[in-house]
Amino acid sequence: IDDKPDDAPIAIQADSPKNDTTVRIPRIIHVTYKSRDELPEEWEQSLQIWEDMHPDWELRFWSDADIEEFVRTEFPQYVSLHESYKYVIQRVDSVRYMILYHFGGLYSDMDIYPRVALDGLLSQWEDAGKNVLLAETSNMGVTNAFMASAPQSPFMGCAVENLPNYRRAWHHVLQWRHWEVLSSAGSTYLWGMVGHCGPEAAAGVRIVAQRSFRGCSVCDAWETGKPAETCDTEWLGHSSTNSSWHQHGNLFHSFMKLFAYSFLCEPFRACFVTVTLCLFLIQRRRNGRRLDSAKVG
């Protein structure tokens, strides 16, 4: 963790070559949704906060139709890949990297809004020669829900170029929607690119620590009834404790979520259940041996 002034966001960074080149991230806020007409009221409020906090920035709203046209026009070599994704969220995830590579700027999910103007956050790392800003996630790794980049940054270029290589993987046979989304173009994919794209790309990347991006833990996000303010930080506010695409999943996802929550967030209850189950199995095995001995006798 780097030394920092009191008002600076906490950041972490792996060892990498120093990058002395001064770069500038365009003051553009990119957001995506099906269409502006279908935007929920709470997310309309988030957009208003972005505009109020950053009157000199440009806000670009990308509808599904805008995204399709953008890929056809600027990345025609990826049209077939874009159309091959099974889920809409995969298309939205992958196009985030294309937008940031082509235009530069800051991407934010709709449920995230600024609590203060972010010019200082970007300027701090621009002056240090960083051309990409990522955020650590409580789920481990980095998230693609909030990120910024200069145009044509080596890292975002690498993230775009590798998308076809991760479209299909052997572990997708599990048919777990969330894992397929995360590992093909989502946050897990992005995290993998941090280590995959090489030292030149890594030299320009700054990772903001999780407690500066999102104040709630993964357990807070899984609990129902938690106020959205649980996740707020000095820099960013959150209109929900969880992201919208997590709200629907299949039976396998629901089971895995319950299993993980029990062991990560309720350790004493999990230990009690585990010890009880072990004692039951031990006693059952002893009873079986006694029954076998009785039969032999």
Side-chain angles (χ1 to χ4, degrees):
I1 298 177
D2 297 322
D3 293 334
K4 61 180 182 60
D6 292 338
D7 59 347
I10 303 162
I12 57 176
Q13 179 190 26
D15 292 336
S16 59
K18 186 176 180 181
N19 186 343
D20 294 324
T21 304
T22 301
V23 296
R24 285 290 174 259
I25 296 172
R27 278 18 180 194
I28 306 172
I29 305 159
H30 299 281
V31 293
T32 63
Y33 197 65
K34 292 181 287 186
S35 72
R36 191 68 182 256
D37 294 337
E38 299 177 78
L39 193 64
E41 182 179 353
E42 64 174 325
W43 291 353
E44 190 71 61
Q45 294 172 356
S46 292
L47 294 188
Q48 189 60 54
I49 295 173
W50 275 108
E51 291 181 313
D52 292 344
M53 288 282 187
H54 305 86
D56 298 327
W57 291 31
E58 177 185 354
L59 177 67
R60 292 191 185 180
F61 182 96
W62 295 84
S63 67
D64 287 353
D66 295 331
I67 287 173
E68 299 293 331
E69 179 62 26
F70 169 73
V71 174
R72 282 195 299 268
T73 303
E74 303 297 342
F75 292 88
Q77 68 273 36
Y78 293 110
V79 168
S80 59
L81 170 70
H82 188 73
E83 294 175 346
S84 73
Y85 283 124
K86 189 186 303 183
Y87 307 109
V88 173
I89 185 61
Q90 291 174 292
R91 300 186 192 117
V92 175
D93 276 342
S94 62
V95 84
R96 298 174 190 182
Y97 314 129
M98 298 180 194
I99 289 172
L100 290 180
Y101 178 74
H102 185 76
F103 293 106
L106 184 149
Y107 170 83
S108 176
D109 272 1
M110 286 289 190
D111 59 341
I112 301 171
Y113 58 87
R115 300 187 69 194
V116 296
L118 299 182
D119 299 85
L121 173 66
L122 297 187
S123 296
Q124 178 184 358
W125 306 130
E126 287 173 334
D127 294 342
K130 303 304 175 183
N131 53 44
V132 173
L133 182 70
L134 302 177
E136 186 184 28
T137 175
S138 59
N139 300 331
M140 189 168 61
V142 298
T143 179
N144 67 353
F146 180 86
M147 49 189 175
S149 176
Q152 286 78 53
S153 69
F155 177 78
M156 282 300 165
C158 176
V160 172
E161 290 174 0
N162 278 279
L163 285 168
N165 300 330
Y166 290 79
R167 165 63 184 90
R168 292 180 177 86
W170 65 267
H171 44 77
H172 291 165
V173 300
L174 295 173
Q175 296 296 309
W176 185 12
R177 171 181 179 267
H178 288 68
W179 174 247
E180 185 169 346
V181 169
L182 287 169
S183 60
S184 62
S187 295
T188 302
Y189 168 80
L190 183 65
W191 183 28
M193 291 301 101
V194 173
H196 174 80
C197 291
E200 180 182 355
V205 176
R206 173 66 62 172
I207 301 178
V208 177
Q210 183 264 332
R211 57 186 178 275
S212 288
F213 162 68
R214 191 174 178 88
C216 58
S217 67
V218 65
C219 299
D220 293 324
W222 283 343
E223 289 184 27
T224 57
K226 280 279 187 178
E229 292 77 11
T230 304
C231 296
D232 288 354
T233 68
E234 177 186 356
W235 293 82
L236 298 173
H238 301 263
S239 60
S240 66
T241 55
N242 215 334
S243 58
S244 58
W245 80 276
H246 284 104
Q247 293 173 5
H248 305 284
N250 57 24
L251 183 61
F252 178 69
H253 171 257
S254 299
F255 170 77
M256 290 301 294
K257 180 178 176 179
L258 178 61
F259 179 82
Y261 176 84
S262 298
F263 277 87
L264 293 177
C265 308
E266 297 286 350
F268 293 108
R269 183 183 301 176
C271 288
F272 175 78
V273 172
T274 301
V275 171
T276 301
L277 179 60
C278 289
L279 292 175
F280 170 78
L281 293 175
I282 292 172
Q283 187 61 42
R284 185 176 179 181
R285 184 177 179 84
R286 287 177 177 174
N287 290 340
R289 288 178 176 176
R290 289 172 183 169
L291 183 61
D292 291 340
S293 298
K295 289 181 178 178
V296 173

